[in-house]
Amino acid sequence: MSEILLDARGLTCPLPVLRANRMLRALAPGERLRVMATDRASVADFQAFCRETGHALIAFGEEGGTLSFVIRRRPEPEAARPAGDPPAPDAKLA
């Protein structure tokens, strides 16, 4: 699966997360975004961001002072259920 790359190196909190959020909104559900950052606060920021938004932080690591985060866009929310209780499992539809 391909990834979109966001280079947020040199940016400080909260810019890496804000730019990632903007890019994720443009992606289809399930697509991946790789964010490259240098701000150490990004580790906690992206963990909290994904936990709060429902996106999946699939991987993160560091190499040579650059942090790398791979985020999978959350699926679209399911359509709202109609009001009322669902039919009983053995109910017959007319």
Side-chain angles (χ1 to χ4, degrees), residues 19-83:
R19 294 207 178 159
N21 185 41
R22 182 181 298 158
M23 290 191 78
L24 284 163
R25 289 179 185 192
L27 298 179
E31 286 190 303
R32 295 179 180 192
L33 174 66
R34 179 178 296 270
V35 182
M36 308 301 284
T38 49
D39 183 8
R40 301 293 307 160
S42 295
V43 175
D45 290 346
F46 277 108
Q47 289 172 334
F49 169 75
C50 289
R51 185 173 51 252
E52 292 173 15
T53 61
H55 299 302
L57 180 58
I58 329 183
F60 69 92
E62 180 180 8
E63 185 175 326
T66 298
L67 301 162
S68 174
F69 305 90
V70 179
I71 303 166
R72 183 175 55 233
R73 189 184 189 287
R74 70 176 178 253
E76 290 296 325
E78 292 184 24
R81 293 184 78 91

